[in-house]
Every structure is written in C-alpha cells, then in structure tokens.
Amino acid sequence: MKQWKPLIASLIVIAIAMGGLALWKSGSAPSGEGNDDQPANLPPGNATPNGQQYETVPLEKLPPLDPIDLWPRDGLRVSGVTFWTMWQTSGQSKCRLLASSDGHNWHDIGSTAGERHFLETDLAYFSGEVKIAVEFDERGKRYRSAPRTVRFGQGAHFAQREYQFTIGIGKSEWAFEIVGRKVRDLGREPFLAVDFPEANELVPYTSPDPSSPDDSILFGVQHPEVIREGVAGFLQVYDPVTNTYDRVLVRLKR
C-alpha cells in the first residue's frame, strides 16, 4: 500500500490543479462572451469588435472648424451598433474621420474625397461611447472639427446598415425592416429621408408596410426618372421612448 501512496498523492495534486485552472478560465472570460446580462447602454459584443482594428495616429495642431452639416451632433444617442458620420464640404476635399475613447488617443477610422462624405464607426470597438472629429480641407487650409461625443442606446434601428436598390419605371418603393421597437409604437412621423442630392425632385417618402405594420416600413421615391445614374442618401428613424436615432445608407441606381 505504501508504494501506491506517492502515486495517489500526485493524482490528487493534478486534480486540484486542473480544477483551479478551470475556475480561472471561467472567471476570466471577457464581458460580452457567454454573458446574457450585458448593461443596456453597451452594444452587443462590446468585448469583441468583430475583428475590426483601427490605427492609432498622432494629431498635428489644426485650427478648429466644423464642416457643413456634420452629423451626429454632440451628445447624440444612436441605436445602431455601428453608425454613420456624415458631412459636406464647399468643394472637393480630402477628409479623415477620427475617433477616440478618451479624447487623447485617436484612431484613424477612414478617409474620403469629394464634396459629400460619410463613414461608418463601430461603437462596439469603443465600448458604447466614442468621441469623433473630422479633418478636412477648406479653401486651401486644413481644419479639424471640435470633438463630439456619441453614445449607444438601445432603441429602434434598421436591420441593415446599407441598402442598394435599382430604380424601376414610374414610382419605386421598397421595404425596410425595423428592429428594437414596433413601428406602431414610434409615434407620428418617426422617419425622415435626409441628404439625398435630388430630394426636391425625387420626393422621397415613407409609410407603414401594410403587409407587416409591426416591423417594417415602405420607403419610396416619386419621379425616379430624375435619377440618371445613381444617388445615395440616408433614411433616419427616431425612437422617442429611448431618445435614440439611427440612419441607414440608401443607394439608388439605374
């Protein structure tokens, strides 16, 4: 029996070590993985930003100036895990979107060129709250907008971040799925078409989807013949219950 005692003691030590390792692993799992009790003010998957990596960049000193129609505004709550930042410049301009969790370490989200600009930011990467700023050229000088804070809030939002439709003959109409809130609970006129270049001629509109009034709406344009090649704009939903906004990119083409 004595000859087995060292072996039995070794097995006991191994069993205790394995049990401790299992407990350590379960206790160190990142928030958002295997946890259904995430706080309501954090987007799902906040610990794992879908593999997205943003480059940290140094910032040179630039004079402050906001570009035209910069959105979202400071302090806005958005209901999409990712959200669109959009702005305009008075002429052709090379722009860069910046984002930061603390206002000190800034990440390069992406660059654009032209007069109308829009880029998408993943709020999950920034744990539900981010500061954004835009660098742009204006009349031969380089400027940077004042930082503005955007926060996540659970509410009504579009099921997709971007749609593309082909214009038909006559009036064209398409269905958009809404998640996070029933359409009938959103109040009067919660939807708005914004930033369509030919909006005055297109006459974009929204209406409840009679085939599915609880979770989708119809978006359409009158006079689609004014679109010769393609246009892009945004459709917005406002949730008065949570005071949140969401915008989806809509591309219309021939």
Side-chain angles (χ1 to χ4, degrees), residues 49 82 143:
T82 65
Y143 296 94

Side-chain angles (χ1 to χ4, degrees), residues 38-44 46 71-72 75-83 121-124 126-130 149-158 161 178-181 186 237-247:
Q38 289 192 92
N41 63 336
L42 290 180
N46 61 295
W71 191 93
L76 195 80
R77 284 161 49 86
V78 295
S79 50
V81 175
T82 65
F83 69 92
T121 303
D122 186 357
L123 262 174
F126 298 96
S127 299
E129 181 172 321
V130 66
T149 301
V150 182
R151 298 181 177 89
F152 176 80
Q154 290 185 343
H157 56 282
F158 296 97
R161 297 292 83 201
I178 304 298
V179 294
R181 184 89 55 210
L186 291 175
V237 58
Y238 170 67
D239 189 335
V241 179
T242 54
N243 190 30
T244 55
Y245 293 81
D246 187 39
R247 287 186 176 182

Side-chain angles (χ1 to χ4, degrees), residues 126-154:
F126 298 96
S127 299
E129 181 172 321
V130 66
K131 296 180 184 298
I132 58 172
V134 171
E135 290 183 355
F136 64 104
D137 298 320
E138 186 73 23
R139 297 176 182 175
K141 293 190 65 176
R142 188 75 173 169
Y143 296 94
R144 183 184 303 121
S145 67
R148 52 184 63 191
T149 301
V150 182
R151 298 181 177 89
F152 176 80
Q154 290 185 343

Side-chain angles (χ1 to χ4, degrees), residues 88-239:
Q88 296 185 38
T89 49
S90 59
Q92 293 288 321
S93 175
K94 292 182 178 180
C95 305
R96 180 170 71 160
L97 178 62
L98 303 165
S100 172
S101 294
D102 55 15
H104 300 290
N105 299 306
W106 288 89
H107 301 272
D108 187 336
I109 302 301
S111 300
T112 66
E115 297 183 9
R116 298 175 64 236
H117 312 266
F118 42 86
L119 285 169
E120 197 174 12
T121 303
D122 186 357
L123 262 174
Y125 191 92
F126 298 96
S127 299
E129 181 172 321
V130 66
K131 296 180 184 298
I132 58 172
V134 171
E135 290 183 355
F136 64 104
D137 298 320
E138 186 73 23
R139 297 176 182 175
K141 293 190 65 176
R142 188 75 173 169
Y143 296 94
R144 183 184 303 121
S145 67
R148 52 184 63 191
T149 301
V150 182
R151 298 181 177 89
F152 176 80
Q154 290 185 343
H157 56 282
F158 296 97
Q160 296 179 207
R161 297 292 83 201
E162 180 177 346
Y163 290 86
Q164 181 168 289
F165 302 112
T166 301
I167 293 291
I169 300 174
K171 184 174 68 174
S172 297
E173 198 170 63
W174 307 275
F176 284 71
E177 182 184 359
I178 304 298
V179 294
R181 184 89 55 210
K182 294 186 181 300
V183 172
R184 66 168 181 264
D185 296 332
L186 291 175
R188 299 184 59 188
E189 300 180 354
F191 298 95
L192 179 67
V194 295
D195 203 27
F196 277 92
E198 292 87 358
N200 291 334
E201 298 178 80
L202 281 176
V203 192
Y205 64 89
T206 62
S207 64
D209 184 352
S211 64
S212 182
D214 284 348
D215 58 11
S216 65
I217 63 164
L218 295 176
F219 166 78
V221 292
Q222 295 176 336
H223 312 301
E225 63 276 4
V226 303
I227 299 178
R228 293 174 176 81
E229 293 183 0
V231 298
F234 290 85
L235 188 60
Q236 173 181 289
V237 58
Y238 170 67
D239 189 335

